Amino acid sequence: MLIREATLNDVEAIAKVHVDSWRTTYKGIVPADFLAALSYERRASIWRDSLLKEDRTECVFVAEDERGNVFGFATGGKEREGDPLYTGELYAIYLLQESQQHGAGRKLVAAVAQHLLKQGHAAMLIWVLKENPSRAFYEKLGGVAVREKEIQIGGEVLIEAAYGFTLSKLLC
């Protein structure tokens, strides 16, 4: 397994991981019609635009197997709501279902955490749907539940929980 910075050549693979992992992870949590409407093409366009930004400050890392196939990604940067303590944020981390629980998630989080440390951040947040069974992953990494908020996805109100991490502890 290799963790590396994403390139434009990874856009389609990232989009596939993004859509497929949403469909498996959020089945029964997010409305089925919303999940069915997810599009590889739209996701690829969003990721292409993101990676092409000249003033981009966020990082994007991919996990690839020994054959060079991307099976996961993580992205992070400056915290988006102005939190005074948790100034960094892990925006997203997704792995194909069959690639979970083999250490790639931990390595992707570490790559984002290293990037945030280099940017001068000492702590970060990750927002996760409260009903997401993967929340246990963040707790195993030492994340502390900080707060919750309501969000809307597909017309339904869902609860998101924020987990906070001190980056130096996370990287020990």
Side-chain angles (χ1 to χ4, degrees):
M1 160 187 2
L2 174 67
I3 306 298
R4 62 171 175 77
E5 286 192 58
T7 70
L8 283 175
N9 293 331
D10 299 315
V11 165
E12 283 79 18
I14 293 170
K16 181 171 179 11
V17 169
H18 204 164
V19 169
D20 290 353
S21 61
W22 263 69
R23 287 180 176 157
T24 56
T25 302
Y26 300 133
K27 184 179 181 180
I29 299 171
V30 170
D33 58 339
F34 181 88
L35 294 176
L38 294 174
S39 157
Y40 297 130
E41 294 78 20
R42 282 193 300 263
R43 274 292 134 194
S45 177
I46 291 166
W47 282 108
R48 186 174 295 104
D49 290 348
S50 176
L51 289 173
L52 282 171
K53 282 184 191 171
E54 287 186 31
D55 61 343
R56 181 169 66 97
T57 58
E58 69 270 6
C59 61
V60 182
F61 292 95
V62 295
E64 67 180 21
D65 64 21
E66 61 281 347
R67 296 181 314 265
N69 298 314
V70 171
F71 62 87
F73 73 91
T75 181
K78 185 177 184 218
E79 195 272 334
R80 296 173 282 191
E81 295 181 358
D83 190 291
L85 177 61
Y86 299 100
T87 60
E89 184 174 346
L90 178 64
Y91 299 145
I93 178 171
Y94 292 105
L95 294 156
L96 294 175
Q97 188 174 38
E98 63 272 14
S99 300
Q100 295 174 7
Q101 299 185 357
H102 298 287
R106 184 178 293 274
K107 290 180 180 181
L108 284 166
V109 170
V112 171
Q114 287 284 0
H115 173 85
L116 293 173
L117 270 174
K118 288 178 188 171
Q119 298 292 315
H121 302 285
M124 74 174 184
L125 286 178
I126 173 77
W127 287 96
V128 59
L129 288 177
K130 194 168 181 181
E131 293 183 53
N132 183 344
S134 297
R135 284 179 49 193
F137 169 72
Y138 304 109
E139 293 165 359
K140 285 180 190 173
L141 288 178
V144 176
V146 176
R147 63 180 170 273
E148 295 181 356
K149 67 179 178 181
E150 289 184 352
I151 62 165
Q152 277 202 4
I153 299 177
E156 296 225 2
V157 175
L158 301 169
I159 304 297
E160 264 190 328
Y163 284 88
F165 296 88
T166 302
L167 296 177
S168 60
K169 289 181 184 177
L170 178 64
L171 293 168
C172 289

